Amino acid sequence: MARLMIKTDGFAERALVLHLGVNHVGRDPGCELCIDHPTISSLHCELALTDDGVYVRDCNSTNGTFVNGEPVMEAWLDPGQILRLGDVELLVESTDATVAIPKFERPRQTLPPPIVLPDGALSCPRHEQSRATYRCTYCKEVMCNACVHVIRRKGGTPHFLCVICSCECEPILAAQPKKKKGFIGFLQDTVKLKFKDTIRRLNGGK
């Protein structure tokens, strides 16, 4: 399991253990990984654990996020690196993910069911005027581009993670409207029908 060890004095080398998906890090007690320190923002960063490793994304923190002393907005973490959030230093001990997804129910916000937009597409439950573009493969939640968590995969391919359970999402393919035939298409169909009728009569009505 991926672990980071707080090396700053006053934390007694407290270990942060990541769960699969997005882990919110900050001073706010509502964060999955709460670090009570004045130089850490309420929501400081996100640590995403995927099958490719651990990915850090700064959430516009006041005092910044650093990897081995270099300021970063987004970066993959490797074992042995030092992640610094404000003045708090964390040693990256492991970036391994467990094979199985833990079975636990995360409290869900009560939201109205998605509505059908005039073009027939589903709306996002959190943004009623936006089209739902992704569906979670695990909990089946639908969401728009603004809701889905995007984590860049090593090699360039991104992960799209559910806003509710942090499992993989798949795009919702929009139905393509049938093209209306123009006048030329109508004439072509008419000629085809007359040609077929002529052949049928020449064959004795067969």
Side-chain angles (χ1 to χ4, degrees):
M1 177 62 74
R3 286 166 48 100
L4 291 87
M5 188 73 70
I6 302 179
K7 307 301 289 185
T8 300
D9 292 341
F11 289 93
E13 294 198 339
R14 171 186 161 198
L16 302 182
V17 179
L18 307 185
H19 66 70
L20 283 172
V22 178
N23 301 257
H24 298 91
V25 184
R27 200 174 65 252
D28 192 316
C31 293
E32 288 89 349
L33 302 175
C34 177
I35 303 177
D36 189 9
H37 193 274
T39 64
I40 289 185
S41 299
S42 296
L43 175 57
H44 198 101
C45 68
E46 293 177 347
L47 291 172
L49 177 58
T50 74
D51 53 0
D52 284 330
V54 176
Y55 189 80
V56 61
R57 174 190 290 149
D58 185 82
C59 296
N60 298 316
S61 63
T62 301
N63 296 306
T65 298
F66 304 81
V67 176
N68 286 349
E70 296 294 327
V72 298
M73 290 302 296
E74 298 180 346
W76 286 95
L77 298 179
D78 293 319
Q81 289 182 324
I82 296 295
L83 174 66
R84 179 161 62 84
L85 310 178
D87 291 339
V88 177
E89 290 191 346
L90 302 95
L91 171 65
V92 182
E93 289 193 337
S94 171
T95 59
D96 294 333
T98 54
V99 176
I101 297 176
K103 293 184 178 181
F104 66 94
E105 291 295 329
R106 184 176 175 178
R108 295 189 60 174
Q109 181 182 1
T110 302
L111 296 171
I115 62 175
V116 179
L117 297 173
D119 62 357
L122 290 178
S123 69
C124 173
R126 286 154 293 277
H127 304 96
E128 292 185 359
Q129 302 304 316
S130 299
R131 177 195 298 265
T133 51
Y134 290 91
R135 175 180 283 108
C136 178
T137 57
Y138 183 72
C139 71
K140 307 305 179 184
E141 178 77 7
V142 297
M143 64 212 77
C144 65
N145 291 343
C147 292
V148 69
H149 287 291
V150 183
I151 303 298
R152 291 191 183 91
R153 191 166 186 159
K154 287 183 177 178
T157 305
H159 280 283
F160 297 93
L161 304 181
C162 177
V163 68
I164 298 297
C165 67
S166 296
C167 292
E168 290 280 353
C169 293
E170 59 185 2
I172 298 175
L173 300 178
Q176 297 295 327
K178 293 183 179 179
K179 294 183 179 179
K180 293 184 178 180
K181 291 185 178 180
F183 181 69
I184 299 300
F186 176 75
L187 287 179
Q188 289 175 341
D189 286 348
T190 303
V191 171
K192 288 178 182 178
L193 287 174
K194 288 184 177 180
F195 181 75
K196 289 181 179 180
D197 185 61
T198 301
I199 295 298
R200 183 176 58 80
R201 283 190 278 105
L202 290 176
N203 289 332
K206 294 181 180 179

